[in-house]
Amino acid sequence: MADNKYSNRKKPAATGLEMGKLPPQVTDLEEAVLGALLLEKEAFLSVSELLKPEHFYKEANQHIYKAILDLEAHEQPVDMLTVTQQLKKMTKLEECGGAFYITQLTSKVASAAHIEYHARIIWQKYLQRQMIQISSELQGKAYDDSIDVNDLLEEAESTFFMLSQGSMKRDATQINPVIQDAIDRIKEASERDDGMSGVASGFAALDKITSGWQGSALIILAARPAMGKTAFVLSMARQMALVHKTPVAIFSLEMSNLELVNRLIVTETELSADKIKKGNLAPYEWEQLDHKIQNLIDAPIFVDDTAGLSVFELRAKCRRLKKQHDIQCVIIDYLQLMNASGMNPGSRQEEVSLISRNLKGLAKELDVPIIALSQLNRGVEGRAGAEGKRPQLSDLRESGAIEQDADMVCFIHRPEYYRITEDEEGNSLIGMAELIIAKHRAGPTADVRLRFRAELARFQDVEDAEYEDNAFSQSNSPTQVLGSKMNENEGADGSVPAGGQQLPEFPEGPGFNSDVPF
């Protein structure tokens, strides 16, 4: 049969290459890059930020590149003789094939003209090998029934995330396009009636200082327990979503989604939390609940109550929310409950430092403000006097890196909590709160007065609360911003006139109006 005329032909024996696969590699380009480094002094500048010894596939080439790095670090000349001597010191010369192998590297290339292009190919092959190795290890673990699938998913995500982070290289940018971007943002801000250049918080006094929460900023909001951290961010998220139609994501590591939504319902409906919890509502209150709850149903608020959230999970979730819903602000409640799974920190302080650093990186990547709640240590409780109870930057819990990485650090302070019911002028402090802006990288520090309505777990601008309950006779007076006392020793007055009005000065501190209750 014609179809079988080749059936008896002997097949060639299978070779090793046909039976398996070699890892991605370009040893000829590795030798060309090393040869170029031996020939031209300036060649090292083209590859120093891109290549590391482990990026080379051939072990001998790894040792040679390491020898070149050592010579460059000590500002020694790099050529065949110096590299050979350095390899002798490292006791690696024979492993690299001796002086002959070093000599013949220079014959692999005529010049260093294409060294950067060659180096990028070497780097890409290294990434391919890493992906193969990671995938192989994950495949083996996927067959192991003793490993929890959620732990495996988190490991896969964190491992590939670290690989992608290590591969990100950004070159310096000429200032011209950056200036143009800055001008565009200024023009955009000028076209807004509210004067905001960032995401409006909904608190008029605060927004006058910040011009809104700025994109790529990491804001730390810290306080002692029971000061109202969660109440503040929920009050803010409600105003962002309902008043300004700003999509906001809330990651709650402490409370469930149901608890968060219940608190939002209390804030929106102005029904007491106790009544909402027990369902003990009068007929008219049920109508009030049904009517006002409609505002929340379609609000662009996205809640996530994943317990023990890792920074890698957060990044993945935020990327997804940004792509699908274009979120403009991220709130995390709270930072100390997060973990840096997969990064193997040596201590809890190092872990918190890694978390804060990654949060800042995420804010820059998504170009959205990230507001992370944080606990304070017990130092506040141990200090005496009204001024001693005011939080300080040194009170931030577990890591000084939080202060370092943050663009803004704010404290919530309610004197009433410490049974301080009057200020030095005899003005009532009951129901009053301060938002202390202790660090502001892009603007002034200040103390912002707010009203805290405990029965609704809600923060409000002072004039809004005064208008609602008619508790003060001057409800239409402009919002007052107090100069932060925290930075008086640094020589900054911190005073920010509200509405263009010049605030009078008093001995207590510049910008402090003793005629207005604190």
Side-chain angles (χ1 to χ4, degrees):
M1 290 175 50
D3 291 340
N4 296 326
K5 65 179 181 178
Y6 298 112
S7 59
N8 295 324
R9 179 174 293 180
K10 187 176 180 181
K11 296 180 180 180
T15 65
L17 291 176
E18 294 175 45
M19 294 296 292
K21 296 180 179 179
L22 285 174
Q25 55 178 296
V26 279
T27 54
D28 53 339
L29 290 185
E30 291 181 4
E31 294 175 1
V33 167
L34 293 175
L37 292 173
L38 295 175
L39 284 174
E40 297 186 20
K41 180 179 180 180
E42 301 300 323
F44 182 76
L45 298 176
S46 302
V47 301
S48 58
E49 294 184 5
L50 185 64
L51 290 183
K52 296 180 180 179
E54 60 267 25
H55 293 168
F56 290 81
Y57 175 76
K58 193 172 179 180
E59 189 174 356
N61 295 338
Q62 293 180 9
H63 295 318
I64 295 171
Y65 189 69
K66 178 63 169 60
I68 293 173
L69 290 181
D70 291 343
L71 290 170
E72 289 285 351
H74 292 87
E75 299 183 353
Q76 299 295 317
V78 175
D79 55 38
M80 291 184 297
L81 295 178
T82 57
V83 170
T84 300
Q85 290 299 318
Q86 185 64 26
L87 287 169
K88 285 182 180 179
K89 292 180 182 179
M90 297 165 55
T91 66
K92 299 292 184 182
L93 182 59
E94 296 305 318
E95 291 184 33
C96 295
F100 174 75
Y101 182 74
I102 310 299
T103 304
Q104 60 94 31
L105 285 175
T106 56
S107 65
K108 301 287 184 178
V109 62
S111 72
H114 306 294
I115 187 172
E116 186 173 354
Y117 178 76
H118 294 162
R120 290 192 179 277
I121 296 176
I122 294 171
W123 172 66
Q124 290 168 2
K125 296 301 178 183
Y126 165 77
L127 288 181
Q128 289 178 266
R129 294 196 299 272
Q130 289 296 104
M131 286 189 282
I132 291 170
Q133 179 182 342
I134 293 170
S135 300
S136 178
E137 292 175 356
L138 291 172
Q139 184 180 27
K141 292 180 179 180
Y143 282 103
D144 189 343
D145 292 335
S146 66
I147 299 177
D148 184 83
V149 66
N150 291 320
D151 292 339
L152 187 59
L153 282 172
E154 183 177 337
E155 180 183 347
E157 183 180 351
S158 63
T159 307
F160 276 108
F161 168 72
M162 286 192 292
L163 182 63
S164 66
Q165 285 296 100
S167 66
M168 285 185 178
K169 306 292 180 183
R170 294 196 65 178
D171 295 327
T173 303
Q174 202 273 334
I175 196 172
N176 182 46
V178 183
I179 290 178
Q180 188 58 52
D181 184 47
I183 295 296
D184 291 341
R185 294 201 178 197
I186 294 171
K187 289 180 179 178
E188 183 180 334
S190 70
E191 294 171 358
R192 295 181 57 169
D193 295 335
D194 54 11
M196 295 291 102
S197 60
V199 178
S201 71
F203 298 108
L206 177 60
D207 287 336
K208 285 177 182 177
I209 299 171
T210 64
S211 296
W213 303 123
Q214 302 298 311
S216 79
L218 174 61
I219 299 105
I220 299 296
L221 179 65
R224 289 292 294 155
M227 278 292 170
K229 297 186 297 296
T230 304
F232 179 82
V233 294
L234 287 181
S235 299
M236 185 169 58
R238 170 187 166 273
Q239 295 187 81
M240 284 179 175
L242 298 184
V243 180
H244 301 283
K245 310 301 180 185
T246 301
V248 56
I250 304 174
F251 293 89
S252 176
L253 287 77
E254 188 175 33
M255 301 171 64
S256 68
N257 285 344
L258 184 60
E259 290 177 293
L260 281 177
V261 171
N262 276 337
R263 295 186 68 165
L264 282 170
I265 290 173
V266 169
T267 301
E268 181 62 23
T269 62
E270 299 186 346
L271 297 170
S272 75
D274 187 58
K275 285 187 175 183
I276 292 289
K277 183 177 180 180
K278 295 178 180 179
N280 185 21
L281 302 177
Y284 78 91
E285 290 174 323
W286 279 109
E287 292 180 8
Q288 182 176 340
L289 173 65
D290 184 61
H291 174 69
K292 291 199 171 183
I293 201 70
Q294 300 303 317
N295 296 329
L296 284 176
I297 290 177
D298 296 321
I301 299 175
F302 305 90
V303 294
D304 188 306
D305 61 357
T306 303
L309 187 71
S310 74
V311 70
F312 305 109
E313 290 176 306
L314 176 72
R315 185 179 292 268
K317 290 172 182 286
C318 287
R319 282 173 172 169
R320 195 176 304 119
L321 287 168
K322 181 67 175 178
K323 182 177 181 180
Q324 295 176 353
H325 304 288
D326 193 27
I327 57 170
Q328 297 298 308
C329 182
V330 175
I331 296 171
I332 302 166
D333 184 10
Y334 57 91
L335 187 148
Q336 278 82 7
L337 290 180
M338 293 187 68
N339 66 74
S341 177
M343 302 181 78
N344 300 319
S347 65
R348 178 57 184 166
Q349 285 74 19
E350 290 180 13
E351 185 173 27
V352 172
S353 298
L354 287 170
I355 293 169
S356 66
R357 191 157 56 247
N358 277 273
L359 289 181
K360 175 58 183 174
L362 179 60
K364 289 182 66 177
E365 177 187 338
L366 301 182
D367 193 26
V368 301
I370 292 182
I371 303 170
L373 276 59
S374 177
Q375 292 282 17
L376 295 179
N377 59 39
R378 298 179 184 273
V380 177
E381 314 295 340
R383 296 194 293 265
E387 283 299 309
K389 299 304 181 185
R390 291 168 57 84
Q392 303 173 4
L393 288 171
S394 58
D395 295 326
L396 283 171
R397 186 173 174 182
E398 290 188 315
S399 176
I402 297 177
E403 176 188 346
Q404 176 183 325
D405 296 327
D407 296 279
M408 287 185 68
V409 178
C410 303
F411 299 118
I412 296 176
H413 177 52
R414 291 195 295 116
E416 183 183 6
Y417 178 82
Y418 297 107
R419 296 181 174 83
I420 303 171
T421 58
E422 291 184 349
D423 63 13
E424 296 176 357
E425 303 299 320
N427 298 310
S428 175
L429 299 178
I430 296 175
M432 302 301 294
E434 275 185 292
L435 183 71
I436 304 170
I437 303 177
K439 176 186 176 182
H440 191 185
R441 188 169 284 162
T445 58
D447 299 344
V448 179
R449 294 189 313 120
L450 298 171
R451 170 74 72 176
F452 178 64
R453 301 186 64 175
E455 74 280 6
L456 301 178
R458 185 167 81 187
F459 284 82
Q460 295 176 267
D461 281 314
V462 172
E463 65 269 27
D464 291 341
E466 290 174 351
Y467 177 80
E468 289 179 6
D469 57 23
N470 293 318
F472 296 87
S473 60
Q474 298 179 350
S475 60
N476 294 321
S477 61
T479 302
Q480 185 189 352
V481 178
L482 307 181
S484 176
K485 298 179 182 180
M486 184 166 294
N487 295 300
E488 284 181 356
N489 293 333
E490 298 175 7
D493 62 11
S495 59
V496 181
Q501 178 181 357
Q502 182 64 41
L503 300 178
E505 296 187 1
F506 289 84
E508 292 87 355
F512 186 90
N513 188 342
S514 60
D515 294 332
V516 182
F518 158 53

